[in-house]
Amino acid sequence: MTKEQARREVRAALSGGSFRVTKQRLAIVDELAAVERYETAKELHQRLSRKRSGIGLATIYRTLETLESVGAASVRTQGRGESAYLFCSPEHHHHAVCTKCGKVEDVPCRSIGRIERDLTQALRFKTTQHRFEFFGLCDRCS
Ligand SMILES: [Zn+2]
Ligand SMILES: [Zn+2]
Ligand SMILES: [Zn+2]
């Protein structure tokens, strides 16, 4: 996804949730979209400080929470209980995670229907939602 697409999606998501779209928020969105991996507020703060953005840690925390609440970021808990965020399109998709560099790539959802049908047949299990994560090495690391 390009930065522009990401910004557009987030703008739409933010205004849909009636949040204000500020320059600082967009700078955080750009940074998070560009890193393509899970980052904590502190890590993002370091990155943005190196660019002399002047954005405070509290603003980053709040913005990341907002992004998650509008479905534009996914969150996971890291080592010391810190939340790490990944820029994520609100559209349903899956992730391919590089176990070496942490890069996360989006995987469109295809061929899942067949697995769901198999489940229904074998277990009489009716799927209402699913989540897949693939682990391996990205193009650069392999
Ligand atoms: Zn995603
Ligand atoms: Zn990698
Ligand atoms: Zn899917």
Side-chain angles (χ1 to χ4, degrees):
M1 182 189 296
T2 66
K3 266 192 185 181
E4 266 320 299
Q5 281 173 305
R7 281 166 75 117
R8 267 203 302 276
E9 275 196 42
V10 170
R11 261 179 225 249
L14 286 177
S15 42
S18 58
F19 291 101
R20 232 152 35 89
V21 180
T22 64
K23 251 194 191 147
Q24 292 203 329
R25 279 188 170 155
L26 284 179
I28 296 167
V29 167
D30 281 349
E31 198 61 37
L32 190 63
V35 294
E36 295 184 302
R37 75 199 68 210
Y38 282 90
E39 294 250 295
T40 63
K42 280 185 195 143
E43 286 166 341
L44 273 178
H45 184 243
Q46 276 170 8
R47 275 177 199 282
L48 288 162
S49 300
R50 263 182 252 131
K51 295 183 178 171
R52 306 187 189 286
S53 70
I55 302 173
L57 188 56
T59 306
I60 296 176
Y61 273 114
R62 271 200 309 274
T63 304
L64 290 173
E65 278 168 14
T66 304
L67 287 177
E68 201 232 333
S69 74
V70 300
S74 79
V75 64
R76 70 160 45 150
T77 309
Q78 230 150 250
R80 294 194 201 97
E82 249 184 302
S83 297
Y85 294 82
L86 172 76
F87 184 83
C88 217
S89 143
E91 240 169 76
H92 175 78
H93 62 277
H94 305 289
H95 286 154
V97 184
C98 178
T99 50
K100 201 165 166 193
C101 72
K103 183 176 185 189
V104 180
E105 283 174 284
D106 285 355
V107 182
C109 182
R110 293 194 200 106
S111 19
I112 303 296
R114 164 118 204 232
I115 299 173
E116 291 186 346
R117 277 197 298 278
D118 286 351
L119 273 176
T120 310
Q121 261 178 9
L123 306 172
R124 303 172 67 81
F125 181 87
K126 229 181 162 27
T127 311
T128 51
Q129 54 171 303
H130 63 254
R131 213 181 307 176
F132 283 102
E133 226 173 351
F134 303 91
F135 296 94
L137 294 173
C138 76
D139 190 32
R140 223 198 269 168
C141 294
S142 63

